[in-house]
Amino acid sequence: DTEVTQTPKHLVMGMTNKKSLKCEQHMGHRAMYWYKQKAKKPPELMFVYSYEKLSINESVPSRFSPECPNSSLLNLHLHALQPEDSALYLCASSQDRQGWGYEQYFGPGTRLTVT
Amino acid sequence: GQNIDQPTEMTATEGAIVQINCTYQTSGFNGLFWYQQHAGEAPTFLSYNVLDGLEEKGRFSSFLSRSKGYSYLLLKELQMKDSASYLCAVTSGGSYIPTFGRGTSLIVHP
């Protein structure tokens, strides 16, 4: 199984709502990532988890709160978002090492619209 | 830090060959990835280069020159479905986390 799944596919939320994005992989990957992607731009790294511990936070506003409940699951909790946070949110996983066969696998993304 | 540069957009004709270049400046280069991303979809892995030379995989080939800080992705026998964004990504300094270039939007027309 080389699949990364994400739910929901689409999400519309108001600025006062609280919602969560979910990501799951069963490839035994120990590194998991959240990216934000705006149209016609490359993915922008937000968070990296390594062995279920947060290892990188790219100065992301606190209205985004990541969580890694176990080695297969990654959540992104959203609260009090702004319209400019509307984007495609991608989850990815990989082995926590570099070299052949250690590429990232991406989920299909959640298209988030903040109204 | 790292600096990765790719052309923003390229156009090509169905059946032709296109070369997408990527130049990078980094200390402690480890490897270079190419990903394909169709609009609204997830990036998918195409190739990985760590040594100098050409890696061929079907219609797609990727080349690396570490001394020049240069890579290219070569797409042969272009098909309409090859219209997508192509992302170059580099790992360096012992980190497994890639840094992405801005991507090259390839438009294939009949």
Side-chain angles (χ1 to χ4, degrees), chain A residues 6-39:
Chain A
Q6 286 187 247
T7 55
K9 291 187 95 166
H10 300 275
L11 178 63
V12 179
M13 60 186 289
M15 289 189 282
T16 58
N17 292 158
K18 283 185 183 182
K19 296 286 184 184
S20 296
L21 309 185
K22 297 186 182 303
C23 173
E24 190 167 3
Q25 58 89 14
H26 294 287
M27 293 176 276
H29 288 168
R30 304 319 297 256
M32 295 186 77
Y33 313 74
W34 281 115
Y35 287 89
K36 173 183 177 181
Q37 189 175 30
K38 293 276 203 179

PDB file of all heavy atoms in Angstrom, chain A residues 6-39:
ATOM      1  N   GLN A   6      -6.303  11.478   2.710  1.00  0.00           N
ATOM      2  CA  GLN A   6      -6.633  12.707   3.426  1.00  0.00           C
ATOM      3  C   GLN A   6      -8.134  12.903   3.420  1.00  0.00           C
ATOM      4  O   GLN A   6      -8.795  12.649   2.408  1.00  0.00           O
ATOM      5  CB  GLN A   6      -5.989  13.935   2.753  1.00  0.00           C
ATOM      6  CG  GLN A   6      -4.501  14.058   2.965  1.00  0.00           C
ATOM      7  CD  GLN A   6      -3.957  15.369   2.438  1.00  0.00           C
ATOM      8  OE1 GLN A   6      -3.196  15.396   1.475  1.00  0.00           O
ATOM      9  NE2 GLN A   6      -4.341  16.465   3.083  1.00  0.00           N
ATOM     10  N   THR A   7      -8.672  13.367   4.541  1.00  0.00           N
ATOM     11  CA  THR A   7     -10.077  13.738   4.617  1.00  0.00           C
ATOM     12  C   THR A   7     -10.208  15.051   5.382  1.00  0.00           C
ATOM     13  O   THR A   7      -9.386  15.351   6.266  1.00  0.00           O
ATOM     14  CB  THR A   7     -10.906  12.657   5.355  1.00  0.00           C
ATOM     15  OG1 THR A   7     -10.329  12.424   6.637  1.00  0.00           O
ATOM     16  CG2 THR A   7     -10.957  11.370   4.559  1.00  0.00           C
ATOM     17  N   PRO A   8     -11.202  15.870   5.028  1.00  0.00           N
ATOM     18  CA  PRO A   8     -12.080  15.727   3.863  1.00  0.00           C
ATOM     19  C   PRO A   8     -11.374  16.186   2.586  1.00  0.00           C
ATOM     20  O   PRO A   8     -10.282  16.739   2.643  1.00  0.00           O
ATOM     21  CB  PRO A   8     -13.231  16.676   4.204  1.00  0.00           C
ATOM     22  CG  PRO A   8     -12.586  17.762   5.007  1.00  0.00           C
ATOM     23  CD  PRO A   8     -11.489  17.096   5.812  1.00  0.00           C
ATOM     24  N   LYS A   9     -11.993  15.971   1.435  1.00  0.00           N
ATOM     25  CA  LYS A   9     -11.425  16.454   0.168  1.00  0.00           C
ATOM     26  C   LYS A   9     -11.643  17.950   0.020  1.00  0.00           C
ATOM     27  O   LYS A   9     -10.810  18.653  -0.539  1.00  0.00           O
ATOM     28  CB  LYS A   9     -12.074  15.729  -1.013  1.00  0.00           C
ATOM     29  CG  LYS A   9     -11.698  14.271  -1.118  1.00  0.00           C
ATOM     30  CD  LYS A   9     -12.229  13.667  -2.399  1.00  0.00           C
ATOM     31  CE  LYS A   9     -11.174  13.699  -3.482  1.00  0.00           C
ATOM     32  NZ  LYS A   9     -11.536  12.839  -4.628  1.00  0.00           N
ATOM     33  N   HIS A  10     -12.802  18.394   0.471  1.00  0.00           N
ATOM     34  CA  HIS A  10     -13.134  19.816   0.404  1.00  0.00           C
ATOM     35  C   HIS A  10     -13.667  20.253   1.765  1.00  0.00           C
ATOM     36  O   HIS A  10     -14.353  19.477   2.441  1.00  0.00           O
ATOM     37  CB  HIS A  10     -14.215  20.088  -0.652  1.00  0.00           C
ATOM     38  CG  HIS A  10     -13.823  19.689  -2.030  1.00  0.00           C
ATOM     39  ND1 HIS A  10     -13.096  20.500  -2.876  1.00  0.00           N
ATOM     40  CD2 HIS A  10     -14.060  18.553  -2.725  1.00  0.00           C
ATOM     41  CE1 HIS A  10     -12.902  19.876  -4.030  1.00  0.00           C
ATOM     42  NE2 HIS A  10     -13.474  18.699  -3.971  1.00  0.00           N
ATOM     43  N   LEU A  11     -13.372  21.484   2.148  1.00  0.00           N
ATOM     44  CA  LEU A  11     -13.859  22.010   3.417  1.00  0.00           C
ATOM     45  C   LEU A  11     -14.098  23.499   3.274  1.00  0.00           C
ATOM     46  O   LEU A  11     -13.218  24.231   2.817  1.00  0.00           O
ATOM     47  CB  LEU A  11     -12.848  21.746   4.535  1.00  0.00           C
ATOM     48  CG  LEU A  11     -13.181  22.273   5.929  1.00  0.00           C
ATOM     49  CD1 LEU A  11     -14.450  21.607   6.452  1.00  0.00           C
ATOM     50  CD2 LEU A  11     -12.035  22.027   6.890  1.00  0.00           C
ATOM     51  N   VAL A  12     -15.302  23.910   3.646  1.00  0.00           N
ATOM     52  CA  VAL A  12     -15.619  25.333   3.696  1.00  0.00           C
ATOM     53  C   VAL A  12     -15.905  25.654   5.154  1.00  0.00           C
ATOM     54  O   VAL A  12     -16.712  24.982   5.799  1.00  0.00           O
ATOM     55  CB  VAL A  12     -16.856  25.678   2.824  1.00  0.00           C
ATOM     56  CG1 VAL A  12     -17.172  27.165   2.930  1.00  0.00           C
ATOM     57  CG2 VAL A  12     -16.606  25.276   1.374  1.00  0.00           C
ATOM     58  N   MET A  13     -15.219  26.658   5.686  1.00  0.00           N
ATOM     59  CA  MET A  13     -15.428  27.001   7.086  1.00  0.00           C
ATOM     60  C   MET A  13     -15.421  28.505   7.275  1.00  0.00           C
ATOM     61  O   MET A  13     -14.754  29.244   6.520  1.00  0.00           O
ATOM     62  CB  MET A  13     -14.381  26.336   7.984  1.00  0.00           C
ATOM     63  CG  MET A  13     -12.949  26.704   7.695  1.00  0.00           C
ATOM     64  SD  MET A  13     -11.773  25.749   8.690  1.00  0.00           S
ATOM     65  CE  MET A  13     -12.019  26.440  10.326  1.00  0.00           C
ATOM     66  N   GLY A  14     -16.164  28.934   8.287  1.00  0.00           N
ATOM     67  CA  GLY A  14     -16.188  30.338   8.633  1.00  0.00           C
ATOM     68  C   GLY A  14     -15.017  30.674   9.541  1.00  0.00           C
ATOM     69  O   GLY A  14     -14.324  29.790  10.054  1.00  0.00           O
ATOM     70  N   MET A  15     -14.786  31.947   9.727  1.00  0.00           N
ATOM     71  CA  MET A  15     -13.611  32.386  10.486  1.00  0.00           C
ATOM     72  C   MET A  15     -13.701  32.071  11.968  1.00  0.00           C
ATOM     73  O   MET A  15     -12.700  32.100  12.680  1.00  0.00           O
ATOM     74  CB  MET A  15     -13.386  33.889  10.264  1.00  0.00           C
ATOM     75  CG  MET A  15     -12.889  34.210   8.861  1.00  0.00           C
ATOM     76  SD  MET A  15     -12.385  35.920   8.666  1.00  0.00           S
ATOM     77  CE  MET A  15     -13.970  36.715   8.515  1.00  0.00           C
ATOM     78  N   THR A  16     -14.909  31.717  12.452  1.00  0.00           N
ATOM     79  CA  THR A  16     -15.029  31.387  13.878  1.00  0.00           C
ATOM     80  C   THR A  16     -15.112  29.881  14.121  1.00  0.00           C
ATOM     81  O   THR A  16     -15.189  29.431  15.262  1.00  0.00           O
ATOM     82  CB  THR A  16     -16.274  32.057  14.474  1.00  0.00           C
ATOM     83  OG1 THR A  16     -17.422  31.623  13.738  1.00  0.00           O
ATOM     84  CG2 THR A  16     -16.163  33.572  14.396  1.00  0.00           C
ATOM     85  N   ASN A  17     -15.097  29.117  13.044  1.00  0.00           N
ATOM     86  CA  ASN A  17     -15.227  27.663  13.189  1.00  0.00           C
ATOM     87  C   ASN A  17     -13.951  27.006  13.676  1.00  0.00           C
ATOM     88  O   ASN A  17     -12.844  27.560  13.553  1.00  0.00           O
ATOM     89  CB  ASN A  17     -15.596  27.025  11.839  1.00  0.00           C
ATOM     90  CG  ASN A  17     -16.990  27.387  11.363  1.00  0.00           C
ATOM     91  OD1 ASN A  17     -17.278  27.310  10.175  1.00  0.00           O
ATOM     92  ND2 ASN A  17     -17.854  27.780  12.287  1.00  0.00           N
ATOM     93  N   LYS A  18     -14.135  25.779  14.203  1.00  0.00           N
ATOM     94  CA  LYS A  18     -13.006  24.879  14.484  1.00  0.00           C
ATOM     95  C   LYS A  18     -13.216  23.622  13.666  1.00  0.00           C
ATOM     96  O   LYS A  18     -14.289  23.018  13.734  1.00  0.00           O
ATOM     97  CB  LYS A  18     -12.993  24.480  15.964  1.00  0.00           C
ATOM     98  CG  LYS A  18     -12.471  25.509  16.912  1.00  0.00           C
ATOM     99  CD  LYS A  18     -12.399  24.910  18.314  1.00  0.00           C
ATOM    100  CE  LYS A  18     -11.949  25.931  19.324  1.00  0.00           C
ATOM    101  NZ  LYS A  18     -11.829  25.366  20.678  1.00  0.00           N
ATOM    102  N   LYS A  19     -12.202  23.233  12.911  1.00  0.00           N
ATOM    103  CA  LYS A  19     -12.275  22.017  12.106  1.00  0.00           C
ATOM    104  C   LYS A  19     -10.931  21.317  12.155  1.00  0.00           C
ATOM    105  O   LYS A  19      -9.927  21.893  12.587  1.00  0.00           O
ATOM    106  CB  LYS A  19     -12.608  22.351  10.645  1.00  0.00           C
ATOM    107  CG  LYS A  19     -13.967  22.990  10.417  1.00  0.00           C
ATOM    108  CD  LYS A  19     -15.091  21.983  10.567  1.00  0.00           C
ATOM    109  CE  LYS A  19     -16.427  22.629  10.227  1.00  0.00           C
ATOM    110  NZ  LYS A  19     -17.551  21.690  10.468  1.00  0.00           N
ATOM    111  N   SER A  20     -10.909  20.065  11.667  1.00  0.00           N
ATOM    112  CA  SER A  20      -9.658  19.298  11.619  1.00  0.00           C
ATOM    113  C   SER A  20      -9.496  18.619  10.277  1.00  0.00           C
ATOM    114  O   SER A  20     -10.471  18.121   9.705  1.00  0.00           O
ATOM    115  CB  SER A  20      -9.640  18.244  12.723  1.00  0.00           C
ATOM    116  OG  SER A  20      -9.654  18.842  13.995  1.00  0.00           O
ATOM    117  N   LEU A  21      -8.253  18.607   9.798  1.00  0.00           N
ATOM    118  CA  LEU A  21      -7.890  17.829   8.611  1.00  0.00           C
ATOM    119  C   LEU A  21      -7.182  16.562   9.087  1.00  0.00           C
ATOM    120  O   LEU A  21      -6.416  16.598  10.069  1.00  0.00           O
ATOM    121  CB  LEU A  21      -6.953  18.631   7.705  1.00  0.00           C
ATOM    122  CG  LEU A  21      -7.374  20.047   7.330  1.00  0.00           C
ATOM    123  CD1 LEU A  21      -6.372  20.644   6.328  1.00  0.00           C
ATOM    124  CD2 LEU A  21      -8.771  20.097   6.804  1.00  0.00           C
ATOM    125  N   LYS A  22      -7.457  15.467   8.365  1.00  0.00           N
ATOM    126  CA  LYS A  22      -6.873  14.191   8.781  1.00  0.00           C
ATOM    127  C   LYS A  22      -6.064  13.578   7.642  1.00  0.00           C
ATOM    128  O   LYS A  22      -6.403  13.730   6.463  1.00  0.00           O
ATOM    129  CB  LYS A  22      -7.968  13.228   9.220  1.00  0.00           C
ATOM    130  CG  LYS A  22      -8.735  13.705  10.439  1.00  0.00           C
ATOM    131  CD  LYS A  22      -9.714  12.677  10.945  1.00  0.00           C
ATOM    132  CE  LYS A  22     -10.501  13.218  12.134  1.00  0.00           C
ATOM    133  NZ  LYS A  22      -9.660  13.652  13.255  1.00  0.00           N
ATOM    134  N   CYS A  23      -5.005  12.869   8.030  1.00  0.00           N
ATOM    135  CA  CYS A  23      -4.101  12.238   7.071  1.00  0.00           C
ATOM    136  C   CYS A  23      -3.693  10.875   7.642  1.00  0.00           C
ATOM    137  O   CYS A  23      -3.451  10.746   8.855  1.00  0.00           O
ATOM    138  CB  CYS A  23      -2.871  13.122   6.871  1.00  0.00           C
ATOM    139  SG  CYS A  23      -1.563  12.385   5.877  1.00  0.00           S
ATOM    140  N   GLU A  24      -3.608   9.871   6.757  1.00  0.00           N
ATOM    141  CA  GLU A  24      -3.248   8.535   7.204  1.00  0.00           C
ATOM    142  C   GLU A  24      -2.364   7.858   6.181  1.00  0.00           C
ATOM    143  O   GLU A  24      -2.566   7.987   4.979  1.00  0.00           O
ATOM    144  CB  GLU A  24      -4.523   7.710   7.440  1.00  0.00           C
ATOM    145  CG  GLU A  24      -4.302   6.383   8.126  1.00  0.00           C
ATOM    146  CD  GLU A  24      -5.605   5.759   8.619  1.00  0.00           C
ATOM    147  OE1 GLU A  24      -6.677   6.338   8.365  1.00  0.00           O
ATOM    148  OE2 GLU A  24      -5.537   4.699   9.244  1.00  0.00           O
ATOM    149  N   GLN A  25      -1.348   7.138   6.666  1.00  0.00           N
ATOM    150  CA  GLN A  25      -0.500   6.324   5.787  1.00  0.00           C
ATOM    151  C   GLN A  25      -0.150   5.035   6.506  1.00  0.00           C
ATOM    152  O   GLN A  25      -0.014   5.018   7.736  1.00  0.00           O
ATOM    153  CB  GLN A  25       0.773   7.085   5.371  1.00  0.00           C
ATOM    154  CG  GLN A  25       1.655   7.565   6.514  1.00  0.00           C
ATOM    155  CD  GLN A  25       2.706   6.594   6.988  1.00  0.00           C
ATOM    156  OE1 GLN A  25       3.005   5.593   6.328  1.00  0.00           O
ATOM    157  NE2 GLN A  25       3.324   6.869   8.139  1.00  0.00           N
ATOM    158  N   HIS A  26       0.009   3.958   5.706  1.00  0.00           N
ATOM    159  CA  HIS A  26       0.341   2.653   6.273  1.00  0.00           C
ATOM    160  C   HIS A  26       1.565   2.070   5.585  1.00  0.00           C
ATOM    161  O   HIS A  26       1.640   0.870   5.321  1.00  0.00           O
ATOM    162  CB  HIS A  26      -0.867   1.707   6.154  1.00  0.00           C
ATOM    163  CG  HIS A  26      -2.029   2.149   6.995  1.00  0.00           C
ATOM    164  ND1 HIS A  26      -2.044   2.030   8.354  1.00  0.00           N
ATOM    165  CD2 HIS A  26      -3.203   2.739   6.659  1.00  0.00           C
ATOM    166  CE1 HIS A  26      -3.189   2.516   8.825  1.00  0.00           C
ATOM    167  NE2 HIS A  26      -3.903   2.960   7.818  1.00  0.00           N
ATOM    168  N   MET A  27       2.530   2.961   5.280  1.00  0.00           N
ATOM    169  CA  MET A  27       3.760   2.509   4.637  1.00  0.00           C
ATOM    170  C   MET A  27       4.904   2.381   5.638  1.00  0.00           C
ATOM    171  O   MET A  27       6.039   2.127   5.243  1.00  0.00           O
ATOM    172  CB  MET A  27       4.143   3.506   3.527  1.00  0.00           C
ATOM    173  CG  MET A  27       3.147   3.505   2.382  1.00  0.00           C
ATOM    174  SD  MET A  27       3.518   4.739   1.124  1.00  0.00           S
ATOM    175  CE  MET A  27       2.760   6.188   1.850  1.00  0.00           C
ATOM    176  N   GLY A  28       4.604   2.607   6.911  1.00  0.00           N
ATOM    177  CA  GLY A  28       5.664   2.535   7.918  1.00  0.00           C
ATOM    178  C   GLY A  28       6.611   3.718   7.887  1.00  0.00           C
ATOM    179  O   GLY A  28       7.711   3.660   8.448  1.00  0.00           O
ATOM    180  N   HIS A  29       6.174   4.800   7.233  1.00  0.00           N
ATOM    181  CA  HIS A  29       7.014   6.003   7.169  1.00  0.00           C
ATOM    182  C   HIS A  29       7.039   6.697   8.522  1.00  0.00           C
ATOM    183  O   HIS A  29       6.015   6.844   9.180  1.00  0.00           O
ATOM    184  CB  HIS A  29       6.466   6.974   6.115  1.00  0.00           C
ATOM    185  CG  HIS A  29       6.684   6.505   4.714  1.00  0.00           C
ATOM    186  ND1 HIS A  29       6.065   7.087   3.633  1.00  0.00           N
ATOM    187  CD2 HIS A  29       7.471   5.525   4.202  1.00  0.00           C
ATOM    188  CE1 HIS A  29       6.463   6.490   2.522  1.00  0.00           C
ATOM    189  NE2 HIS A  29       7.309   5.538   2.848  1.00  0.00           N
ATOM    190  N   ARG A  30       8.220   7.141   8.934  1.00  0.00           N
ATOM    191  CA  ARG A  30       8.352   7.757  10.248  1.00  0.00           C
ATOM    192  C   ARG A  30       8.388   9.278  10.180  1.00  0.00           C
ATOM    193  O   ARG A  30       8.452   9.936  11.218  1.00  0.00           O
ATOM    194  CB  ARG A  30       9.598   7.231  10.966  1.00  0.00           C
ATOM    195  CG  ARG A  30       9.630   5.711  11.093  1.00  0.00           C
ATOM    196  CD  ARG A  30       8.281   5.108  11.451  1.00  0.00           C
ATOM    197  NE  ARG A  30       7.777   5.515  12.743  1.00  0.00           N
ATOM    198  CZ  ARG A  30       7.792   4.737  13.824  1.00  0.00           C
ATOM    199  NH1 ARG A  30       8.315   3.532  13.756  1.00  0.00           N
ATOM    200  NH2 ARG A  30       7.295   5.178  14.956  1.00  0.00           N
ATOM    201  N   ALA A  31       8.379   9.832   8.975  1.00  0.00           N
ATOM    202  CA  ALA A  31       8.308  11.286   8.805  1.00  0.00           C
ATOM    203  C   ALA A  31       6.995  11.636   8.121  1.00  0.00           C
ATOM    204  O   ALA A  31       6.627  11.018   7.112  1.00  0.00           O
ATOM    205  CB  ALA A  31       9.470  11.800   7.965  1.00  0.00           C
ATOM    206  N   MET A  32       6.290  12.613   8.681  1.00  0.00           N
ATOM    207  CA  MET A  32       5.036  13.070   8.079  1.00  0.00           C
ATOM    208  C   MET A  32       5.033  14.592   8.050  1.00  0.00           C
ATOM    209  O   MET A  32       5.613  15.238   8.932  1.00  0.00           O
ATOM    210  CB  MET A  32       3.831  12.527   8.857  1.00  0.00           C
ATOM    211  CG  MET A  32       3.732  11.003   8.774  1.00  0.00           C
ATOM    212  SD  MET A  32       2.239  10.319   9.511  1.00  0.00           S
ATOM    213  CE  MET A  32       1.006  10.693   8.250  1.00  0.00           C
ATOM    214  N   TYR A  33       4.395  15.137   7.016  1.00  0.00           N
ATOM    215  CA  TYR A  33       4.511  16.565   6.714  1.00  0.00           C
ATOM    216  C   TYR A  33       3.138  17.177   6.435  1.00  0.00           C
ATOM    217  O   TYR A  33       2.268  16.516   5.874  1.00  0.00           O
ATOM    218  CB  TYR A  33       5.332  16.778   5.437  1.00  0.00           C
ATOM    219  CG  TYR A  33       6.632  16.021   5.315  1.00  0.00           C
ATOM    220  CD1 TYR A  33       6.652  14.654   5.049  1.00  0.00           C
ATOM    221  CD2 TYR A  33       7.851  16.686   5.413  1.00  0.00           C
ATOM    222  CE1 TYR A  33       7.843  13.960   4.907  1.00  0.00           C
ATOM    223  CE2 TYR A  33       9.052  16.009   5.267  1.00  0.00           C
ATOM    224  CZ  TYR A  33       9.031  14.646   5.012  1.00  0.00           C
ATOM    225  OH  TYR A  33      10.222  13.973   4.860  1.00  0.00           O
ATOM    226  N   TRP A  34       3.008  18.446   6.773  1.00  0.00           N
ATOM    227  CA  TRP A  34       1.903  19.264   6.278  1.00  0.00           C
ATOM    228  C   TRP A  34       2.483  20.369   5.409  1.00  0.00           C
ATOM    229  O   TRP A  34       3.439  21.041   5.783  1.00  0.00           O
ATOM    230  CB  TRP A  34       1.107  19.913   7.410  1.00  0.00           C
ATOM    231  CG  TRP A  34       0.127  19.017   8.084  1.00  0.00           C
ATOM    232  CD1 TRP A  34       0.145  18.577   9.372  1.00  0.00           C
ATOM    233  CD2 TRP A  34      -1.063  18.455   7.510  1.00  0.00           C
ATOM    234  NE1 TRP A  34      -0.925  17.774   9.620  1.00  0.00           N
ATOM    235  CE2 TRP A  34      -1.688  17.681   8.497  1.00  0.00           C
ATOM    236  CE3 TRP A  34      -1.660  18.520   6.240  1.00  0.00           C
ATOM    237  CZ2 TRP A  34      -2.882  16.979   8.283  1.00  0.00           C
ATOM    238  CZ3 TRP A  34      -2.837  17.833   6.018  1.00  0.00           C
ATOM    239  CH2 TRP A  34      -3.434  17.074   7.029  1.00  0.00           C
ATOM    240  N   TYR A  35       1.860  20.526   4.224  1.00  0.00           N
ATOM    241  CA  TYR A  35       2.202  21.598   3.303  1.00  0.00           C
ATOM    242  C   TYR A  35       0.950  22.415   2.997  1.00  0.00           C
ATOM    243  O   TYR A  35      -0.158  21.879   2.961  1.00  0.00           O
ATOM    244  CB  TYR A  35       2.702  21.049   1.963  1.00  0.00           C
ATOM    245  CG  TYR A  35       4.082  20.442   1.965  1.00  0.00           C
ATOM    246  CD1 TYR A  35       4.273  19.097   2.240  1.00  0.00           C
ATOM    247  CD2 TYR A  35       5.205  21.215   1.648  1.00  0.00           C
ATOM    248  CE1 TYR A  35       5.537  18.523   2.213  1.00  0.00           C
ATOM    249  CE2 TYR A  35       6.473  20.651   1.616  1.00  0.00           C
ATOM    250  CZ  TYR A  35       6.630  19.305   1.902  1.00  0.00           C
ATOM    251  OH  TYR A  35       7.891  18.753   1.870  1.00  0.00           O
ATOM    252  N   LYS A  36       1.157  23.685   2.692  1.00  0.00           N
ATOM    253  CA  LYS A  36       0.098  24.561   2.197  1.00  0.00           C
ATOM    254  C   LYS A  36       0.482  24.946   0.774  1.00  0.00           C
ATOM    255  O   LYS A  36       1.646  25.278   0.502  1.00  0.00           O
ATOM    256  CB  LYS A  36       0.024  25.814   3.069  1.00  0.00           C
ATOM    257  CG  LYS A  36      -0.915  26.900   2.567  1.00  0.00           C
ATOM    258  CD  LYS A  36      -0.846  28.112   3.493  1.00  0.00           C
ATOM    259  CE  LYS A  36      -1.707  29.251   2.993  1.00  0.00           C
ATOM    260  NZ  LYS A  36      -1.618  30.435   3.899  1.00  0.00           N
ATOM    261  N   GLN A  37      -0.486  24.897  -0.129  1.00  0.00           N
ATOM    262  CA  GLN A  37      -0.187  25.245  -1.512  1.00  0.00           C
ATOM    263  C   GLN A  37      -1.246  26.181  -2.078  1.00  0.00           C
ATOM    264  O   GLN A  37      -2.426  25.835  -2.133  1.00  0.00           O
ATOM    265  CB  GLN A  37      -0.060  24.002  -2.390  1.00  0.00           C
ATOM    266  CG  GLN A  37       0.453  24.304  -3.790  1.00  0.00           C
ATOM    267  CD  GLN A  37       0.700  23.063  -4.619  1.00  0.00           C
ATOM    268  OE1 GLN A  37       0.036  22.049  -4.446  1.00  0.00           O
ATOM    269  NE2 GLN A  37       1.663  23.140  -5.539  1.00  0.00           N
ATOM    270  N   LYS A  38      -0.808  27.337  -2.523  1.00  0.00           N
ATOM    271  CA  LYS A  38      -1.664  28.279  -3.231  1.00  0.00           C
ATOM    272  C   LYS A  38      -1.555  27.989  -4.728  1.00  0.00           C
ATOM    273  O   LYS A  38      -0.588  27.387  -5.196  1.00  0.00           O
ATOM    274  CB  LYS A  38      -1.210  29.718  -2.940  1.00  0.00           C
ATOM    275  CG  LYS A  38      -1.412  30.149  -1.499  1.00  0.00           C
ATOM    276  CD  LYS A  38      -2.818  30.626  -1.281  1.00  0.00           C
ATOM    277  CE  LYS A  38      -2.932  31.556  -0.106  1.00  0.00           C
ATOM    278  NZ  LYS A  38      -4.320  32.036   0.078  1.00  0.00           N
ATOM    279  N   ALA A  39      -2.551  28.466  -5.468  1.00  0.00           N
ATOM    280  CA  ALA A  39      -2.603  28.210  -6.910  1.00  0.00           C
ATOM    281  C   ALA A  39      -1.342  28.711  -7.606  1.00  0.00           C
ATOM    282  O   ALA A  39      -0.856  29.815  -7.331  1.00  0.00           O
ATOM    283  CB  ALA A  39      -3.827  28.883  -7.517  1.00  0.00           C
TER     284      ALA A  39
END
